[in-house]
Amino acid sequence: MKFSAEFVQQIADLAKLTIDEAQAKDLALGFEESMAVVEELSQVPTQGLEPTYQVNNLVNVWREDVVNKKQMFTQKQALANAKNTYRGYLVVERIIDHET
Amino acid sequence: MKLNQLTLTQAMAGVKKKKFSGKEIFEACLAEIEVKNKDLNAYLTINSEKSYKSHNKPFYGLPLAIKDNYCINEVETTASSAVLTGFKPPYDATVIAKLRQSGFSFLGKTNMDAWAHGSSTETSDFGPTRNPRNLAHAPGGSSGGSAAAVAADLCVAALGSETGGSIRQPAAWCGCVGFRPSYGRASRYGVAAMASSTDTPGFLTKTVADVALITPCICGLDPLDATSSPEVFPNLINQMKKDLKGKKIGFLYLDIKGMEKTRAYYERVWQDLEKLGAKVEKVKARDPREAIGVYTVVQRSEVSSNLGRYDGIRYGQGREKFGAEAKRRIMLGTFLLSQGYADKYYWQAQKVRTLFMQDFERLFTQYDALVSPVSPTLAKKLGCSEESAMFGELEDIFVEPSAICGLPSASVPCYHDKKSNLYLGLNIMAPMHQEEIVMQVASAYEAGTNWNHWAVVERGDHEI
């Protein structure tokens, strides 16, 4: 499978990553190499098989919907690692009225 | 013998008999770190003596190295990525809390491939770790800092984590023991997530008996990780020093291309296992190259989802700080999960994963345990990860099949190359939740051969 620089750029946008042209070229080559291995899987007959996404046979693990106070952070703890706070809140970037 | 050179088993016995204290061992390790870490870069963060916790709990404050993807309360935790520079989690990972309860102390955080993406520890944003057996070589990865810390006696034992082969491969390359219990045995809560359906905490240690002592400390059901297993964990200590009489062992992957240089050494392993009483047969398993394909799809997809949380808002730096390898993996995963491609690649890979589950099930009806090489080669030279965008996967070809199935498995030293001072590792695998079988084979092999230098010293030195 071929990856154009434009397509790679589009994937980067989806993943909210910024890449330059040189990186786009480099990534395209890496993706092609990886996809060559992945595409071999399409030769494997898998009709009628269920996919495996959980390997230790647990099904629907539930818990009571109660607050676990031991798991709570204080406001100070919750904000301690944030770069930008305002009066005890996290400040986020404006995302509306923002051209992409 | 210096106190930092003790195995966990020796350290326990000596402290119990009051020959030395946990604090003295802790300090001996710190002193050795001071001397060697400049060259090795095994530790990213080093704790001070103040972090030694003296108590009478079972493990006497014995000092461990902790891979940098485990959250320790108020200790910088970066997963070797610049994205998390300065991040001090306000809580302990469950595994860390359990180790504290058992009475261990923490020497510091060890280097790894950034986000555990790799098999060389070269993708760390804080520089590569060198292999203490031969400084021109890589330690393997992603738990390369932990493996190097054990191999250079900079700790008593080290916590690592495995997704594809990240405990077993660096253990093999650094000539120490690595063990990953079954998927779900140890909680993933508080571990920087890589691929949630295969991430598994485990240890790098000096001997197999050390694994048996320490692994139960971190295992057990955790309400904070819905995938943690409620199954009772087996007694591993009882499996030490048994013989292998009547055990049937299947030998995998000897004829795979790339094994030409090391095949002869593994044939010797075969003979040694037979001498110990096992019946060993070469057996054909599903082509491990297919497992690379499955792993690539599953891992990249889960990475793209898991690393989506790093937005630089609540903690950490912005996404512009992701390194080249992380970008490569996030983006390939984003592509694989995107509309139109998910059916073709993601679901097909998960179905082939089912075939691997079935294949191991079939093999374990015929054999008690399976063994194989860990890596086709001795530790490669620094810079090796630049060979290919698929470097990690190609190195982990023999360990990825069992990893995608979540099987308990170990790596034990099985050859020492005198010229390079490097080691090969034997991969030992057992059915889901049957860790005791891995331990029985690993312990018997270690006791019956002389490849593990710590075990050799321990045998000759019952009275420390």
Side-chain angles (χ1 to χ4, degrees):
Chain A
M1 174 161 190
K2 281 275 171 200
F3 285 79
S4 67
E6 201 189 349
F7 188 33
V8 171
Q9 195 60 61
Q10 204 184 328
I11 301 170
D13 291 344
L14 282 173
K16 289 226 173 302
L17 294 169
T18 40
I19 54 167
D20 59 30
E21 266 176 52
Q23 283 173 318
K25 272 190 195 158
D26 207 42
L27 285 161
L29 290 175
F31 294 160
E32 283 162 20
E33 191 186 336
S34 299
M35 288 309 293
V37 178
V38 170
E39 281 180 329
E40 281 178 31
L41 293 183
S42 60
Q43 312 295 321
V44 181
T46 54
Q47 290 83 350
L49 285 174
E50 290 293 321
T52 295
Y53 40 81
Q54 218 289 330
V55 292
N56 62 353
N57 304 324
L58 295 173
V59 181
N60 294 347
V61 177
W62 303 100
R63 64 166 175 83
E64 290 303 311
D65 188 15
V66 288
V67 175
N68 177 356
K69 290 204 168 157
K70 277 191 211 154
Q71 286 307 111
M72 288 167 67
F73 294 147
T74 61
Q75 190 174 27
K76 199 177 157 199
Q77 283 175 319
L79 296 175
N81 282 290
K83 266 186 297 190
N84 201 353
T85 61
Y86 178 74
R87 293 186 179 178
Y89 290 92
L90 295 164
V91 177
V92 299
E93 244 180 84
R94 184 185 177 122
I95 52 165
I96 45 172
D97 296 331
H98 196 293
E99 291 201 34
T100 52
Chain B
M1 191 154 123
K2 293 198 288 186
L3 292 181
N4 58 295
Q5 294 172 318
L6 296 171
T7 65
L8 176 60
T9 308
Q10 289 170 324
M12 285 287 286
V15 176
K16 215 177 268 177
K17 289 181 191 162
K18 296 196 162 52
K19 296 194 168 174
F20 37 74
S21 68
K23 186 154 198 256
E24 285 174 293
I25 301 174
F26 191 89
E27 283 166 358
C29 289
L30 279 183
E32 194 73 0
I33 292 168
E34 181 73 26
V35 175
K36 287 191 180 160
N37 198 53
K38 279 191 286 295
D39 287 334
L40 294 176
N41 197 29
Y43 285 88
L44 296 177
T45 310
I46 299 160
N47 290 342
S48 68
E49 281 170 42
K50 282 182 206 141
S51 50
Y52 172 77
K53 298 278 182 259
S54 172
H55 29 49
N56 280 330
K57 286 176 184 167
F59 287 91
Y60 308 110
L62 292 174
L64 301 180
I66 307 294
K67 189 175 179 180
D68 200 33
N69 55 350
Y70 287 88
C71 286
I72 301 185
N73 190 24
E74 295 304 322
V75 175
E76 186 173 7
T77 296
T78 69
S80 285
S81 168
V83 173
L84 288 181
T85 299
F87 170 55
K88 290 187 176 172
Y91 70 106
D92 279 337
T94 297
V95 161
I96 295 296
K98 279 176 165 271
L99 288 170
R100 280 191 208 275
Q101 281 156 18
S102 297
F104 285 102
S105 294
F106 309 131
L107 288 159
K109 308 292 291 290
T110 54
N111 200 11
M112 53 190 278
D113 283 290
W115 306 108
H117 297 170
S119 304
S120 65
T121 314
E122 291 183 328
T123 68
S124 166
D125 285 345
F126 308 116
T129 294
R130 288 170 186 270
N131 190 321
R133 307 292 187 181
N134 184 329
L135 297 180
H137 292 253
S142 65
S143 311
S146 287
V150 171
D153 289 314
L154 305 186
C155 59
V156 170
L159 184 62
S161 67
E162 181 167 306
T163 302
S166 281
I167 288 174
R168 287 172 286 169
Q169 187 256 11
W173 279 20
C174 288
C176 59
V177 176
F179 179 68
R180 47 151 300 152
S182 307
Y183 174 80
R185 284 298 200 186
S187 167
R188 294 179 293 107
Y189 178 76
V191 190
M194 201 243 262
S196 307
S197 78
T198 58
D199 286 348
T200 305
F203 286 99
L204 294 107
T205 66
K206 298 178 184 180
T207 65
V208 176
D210 288 2
V211 166
L213 273 176
I214 199 170
T215 305
C217 299
I218 62 165
C219 293
L221 183 64
D222 177 17
L224 302 176
D225 174 1
T227 60
S228 71
S229 173
E231 303 255 337
V232 176
F233 195 70
N235 185 317
L236 302 184
I237 301 282
N238 288 352
Q239 305 302 322
M240 297 301 104
K241 291 173 185 165
K242 283 186 181 174
D243 63 29
L244 295 178
K245 281 199 185 80
K247 288 278 167 222
K248 280 191 79 178
I249 296 176
F251 217 123
L252 308 184
Y253 313 141
L254 278 180
D255 297 327
I256 299 282
K257 192 167 163 269
M259 275 303 296
E260 297 79 12
K261 280 186 186 163
T262 55
R263 199 195 142 109
Y265 307 124
Y266 286 101
E267 278 171 354
R268 182 161 167 192
V269 171
W270 179 334
Q271 290 165 14
D272 286 334
L273 287 169
E274 291 206 316
K275 273 184 209 157
L276 292 164
K279 186 166 187 288
V280 186
E281 283 172 3
K282 188 157 75 180
V283 56
K284 201 166 153 42
R286 224 183 153 79
D287 187 343
R289 278 171 298 201
E290 284 177 4
I292 294 181
V294 173
Y295 183 78
T296 302
V297 173
V298 171
Q299 195 263 1
R300 304 306 189 268
S301 299
E302 296 188 21
V303 160
S304 86
S305 168
N306 273 327
L307 271 58
R309 78 188 62 176
Y310 298 105
D311 50 20
I313 295 171
R314 294 152 301 158
Y315 55 92
Q317 316 297 313
R319 293 176 76 76
E320 71 280 1
K321 298 281 185 189
F322 276 118
E325 183 66 25
K327 281 185 182 172
R328 183 148 71 190
R329 295 193 183 208
I330 294 169
M331 285 173 62
L332 188 60
T334 304
F335 162 73
L336 288 164
L337 289 178
S338 59
Q339 181 86 43
Y341 294 106
D343 280 339
K344 189 171 174 195
Y345 299 120
Y346 182 75
W347 291 112
Q348 172 68 1
Q350 297 288 44
K351 287 176 186 172
V352 179
R353 192 180 189 180
T354 303
L355 290 172
F356 274 93
M357 298 284 281
Q358 292 173 349
D359 195 45
F360 277 116
E361 213 168 286
R362 171 185 70 86
L363 290 166
F364 284 124
T365 60
Q366 299 165 46
Y367 300 97
D368 297 297
L370 298 169
V371 299
S372 82
V374 170
S375 167
T377 61
L378 296 164
K380 290 190 170 173
K381 288 225 164 106
L382 285 172
C384 54
S385 63
E386 286 154 29
E387 284 169 14
S388 154
M390 292 287 280
F391 172 80
E393 278 59 52
L394 297 169
E395 285 310 316
D396 286 339
I397 181 166
F398 300 140
V399 282
E400 283 186 355
S402 47
I404 60 172
C405 297
L407 303 181
S409 25
S411 170
V412 294
C414 69
Y415 175 70
H416 175 235
D417 179 59
K418 284 198 177 125
K419 204 169 137 211
S420 63
N421 195 35
L422 295 168
Y423 288 80
L424 289 175
L426 177 66
N427 177 31
I428 303 167
M429 301 161 277
M432 194 74 176
H433 298 146
Q434 296 188 29
E435 284 81 1
E436 73 279 11
I437 295 176
V438 179
M439 284 292 104
Q440 189 186 348
V441 176
S443 166
Y445 181 76
E446 184 184 84
T449 57
N450 287 324
W451 301 118
N452 184 319
H453 59 85
W454 293 286
V456 170
V457 169
E458 222 175 64
R459 284 201 288 274
D461 193 10
H462 293 296
E463 276 301 305
I464 310 151

